[in-house]
Amino acid sequence: MWRPARLRLRQRLMLSVTLLLAVILLAAGVLVIVNAHRAISDEMDSSVTLASDLIEASLSSGDGALAAARELADIGHLRHLCLSLIVADRSPRPCATDATSRAPAWFAAATRPAELPERIIRVAPDTRIRVLADPHDEIDETWRDTRGLLGLLLVFYAAILVTVYLLLGRAIVPVRRIDAALRGIEHGRYDMRLPTFTLPEFDGIAAQFNHMAATLAAARDENQRLRDHSLRIQEDERRSLARELHDELGQSLTAIRADAAGILAHRDALPTGVAESARAIADVAGRLYDQARVMMRRLRPPGLDELGLTAALEEHIAGWQRTRPDVAFVFDGDDTPDTLTTNTAIHVFRLVQEALTNALRHARPGRISVRLAAHTDRLRVAVSDDGCGFDTDATAPGLGLAGMAERIELLGGDFHLTSHPGHGTRVAADVPLSH
C-alpha cells in the first residue's frame, strides 16, 4: 500500500509559516484593493459633486447660459469627469477616454466603481448638460501608489521566508545531532556524546543522553567482561575435562584392554567362555577409547597449542571427512603468524567447529569449504556450504549463531552471516590478530 512521504520537522515548519504568511499577504492585498476601491469611489463622488456645483453656479439663465453650456460640452473630457450636452431626446455624445491605461486590467476591474456617479444639469427646456465621473486617471494614480505597497509586501514576504528558513536551519541543528546520536546508540555505538547546547531544553536532553550512553557503555563493557570470563572458564573446564579423559579414562581403558589381552594370551588354559568374554571386553574398551578420543578432540582440539590454528583445523576437518564421506570438505588455510594469540585461535576454532556442526546437522550439504586467510593485522575465516540455506530475516538465530557472534564480538571483530533458501549458507568473520 502506497503511503505519502512524511515531511521532516524543518519542512513542516516552513510549510506552516509559508501558508500563514501567504494568508496574511493575501489578506493585506485584499485590504489594499478594498481601500483603493473605496478611495476611487469617494473621489468620483466628490469630483462629480464639486464640478456640478461649480457649473451650476457659473451658468446664468438665458441665452448666455446655453452658450456657456455648449462651450463646456465642447471641452468633453476633464480630469475625473466627462461632460456632454443632451439636446431634446438625442443620446449624449460618448466620452473620449484615454485608452493607454497604466494600471493592469485586474486592478482596474477590482477598483472601478460598479456604478459611475453622474449628474444632469438643466440649461434650457430642451437642453441639459451631463456630468459623468471618469475613473481612468484616478485608477492610474491609485495603481502607482498601490503597486509600491504591494511590492513591499512581496519583499517582506520573501524576506520573512528566507529569515525563517535560516533560523530554522540553525535551530534544527540540535535535533539533527540528537537524532544522529540516537541512531548511533541503536547500532551499538555507546561512545557517542552530545555537546552542550545553547537552549536549556536541548542541553537538558543532551545531559540525559550522555548519562544514558555512559551507562549503556559501562553495561556493555561489563557484559563483555563477563562473557569473556565465562568463555575462558568454559575453555578451562573443557581443557581440564579433556585432560581427565586422557589421563584417567584413557589410561583405565588402556589398562582394561591390556588385561583382556593378557587373559587372551592364556586362552588355552581358560575355562569355556572366558576367552570370548575377554575379547568382548577388549572390543568394548576399544570402542570406548575411540569415543573418548573423539570427545577429547571436541573438548580441546589436538595440536592447537603446539602446532597452531591451521593444523588444528586441518585435523578437525579430516576427522569430519572420515565420519562423513558423503560430503566433500575443502580446506584452504594460510599459516597463521606468531602474533596470533591463543585466545583468538581458540575462538576462531570454535567458530569453524560450530559452523561445520550446524551445516552438517541442518543444511544437508554436498560440499563444505573452509577458508582461513592471514593478512598484516587481520585474520579472516569463512565457512561456506551448498546446502538448503534459510531466510535470515524470517528465522531467529539459534544459540550456536549467537555464540559465534559473541565470540567474534569479544575479539573486536566483525561477524557476517549470509544465507538464502536453496543457495547455501556462508559464515564469515574478520578479527584482529592480536587481542
Side-chain angles (χ1 to χ4, degrees), residues 23 28 32 44 73 143 167 231 314 317 320 326 381 405:
V23 172
V32 169
M44 293 299 98
W143 169 246
L167 291 177
L231 289 175
E314 287 179 343
I317 294 173
W320 273 119
D326 57 315
V381 59

Side-chain angles (χ1 to χ4, degrees), residues 68-325:
R70 288 175 177 173
E71 291 179 0
L72 289 174
D74 290 337
I75 295 174
H77 187 270
L78 296 174
R79 177 179 172 80
H80 300 168
L81 297 173
C82 176
L83 304 178
S84 59
L85 195 65
I86 302 175
V87 179
D89 294 333
R90 288 179 298 177
S91 301
R93 184 182 61 187
C95 295
T97 59
D98 187 4
T100 60
S101 177
R102 298 180 180 179
W106 65 268
F107 182 81
T111 56
R112 182 183 180 89
E115 296 183 2
L116 296 177
E118 66 174 344
R119 192 164 178 180
I120 305 298
I121 302 174
R122 186 181 182 84
V123 179
D126 59 348
T127 304
R128 292 165 294 171
I129 187 171
R130 185 182 71 168
V131 181
L132 178 65
D134 184 5
H136 290 88
D137 293 334
E138 186 64 23
I139 290 175
D140 288 343
E141 292 178 2
T142 304
W143 169 246
R144 287 194 295 270
D145 296 336
T146 303
R147 66 183 179 183
L149 180 57
L150 293 177
L152 182 61
L153 288 175
L154 290 175
V155 171
F156 180 72
Y157 176 76
I160 289 182
L161 287 181
V162 173
T163 303
V164 170
Y165 183 82
L166 296 177
L167 291 177
L168 285 178
R170 295 184 59 183
I172 212 72
V173 169
V175 177
R176 290 179 176 175
R177 290 185 176 180
I178 293 173
D179 180 68
L182 289 174
R183 291 180 183 273
I185 291 293
E186 182 182 3
H187 291 86
R189 297 171 55 190
Y190 300 138
D191 58 339
M192 299 197 68
R193 298 293 184 270
L194 289 173
T196 301
F197 296 116
T198 304
L199 295 177
E201 293 83 1
F202 287 131
D203 194 49
I205 294 175
Q208 295 177 9
F209 174 86
N210 293 338
H211 177 71
M212 176 196 69
T215 303
L216 290 175
R220 178 199 58 190
D221 295 340
E222 180 65 16
N223 288 337
Q224 288 182 347
R225 188 189 67 81
L226 292 176
R227 286 200 302 268
D228 185 57
H229 183 65
S230 175
L231 289 175
R232 290 179 185 274
I233 293 176
Q234 185 182 50
E235 292 299 332
D236 291 341
E237 290 179 347
R238 286 180 174 180
R239 186 186 298 110
S240 176
L241 184 56
R243 188 183 301 112
E244 292 293 331
L245 286 174
H246 179 271
D247 295 342
E248 299 296 334
L249 182 60
Q251 292 181 9
S252 298
L253 291 174
T254 301
I256 293 173
R257 294 178 67 184
D259 291 340
I263 295 173
L264 290 174
H266 302 83
R267 62 172 58 87
D268 295 338
L270 296 176
T272 303
V274 174
E276 288 76 8
S277 299
R279 188 176 296 107
I281 291 173
D283 293 340
V284 172
R287 288 196 298 270
L288 287 176
Y289 185 78
D290 292 338
Q291 187 64 33
R293 289 185 60 188
V294 172
M295 294 176 61
M296 285 186 288
R297 283 198 298 268
R298 292 182 179 178
L299 290 171
R300 187 66 181 182
L304 180 62
D305 299 326
E306 296 80 8
L307 302 179
L309 177 61
T310 303
L313 287 176
E314 287 179 343
E315 175 63 24
H316 183 71
I317 294 173
W320 273 119
Q321 186 67 80
R322 290 190 296 269
T323 307
R324 294 291 302 270

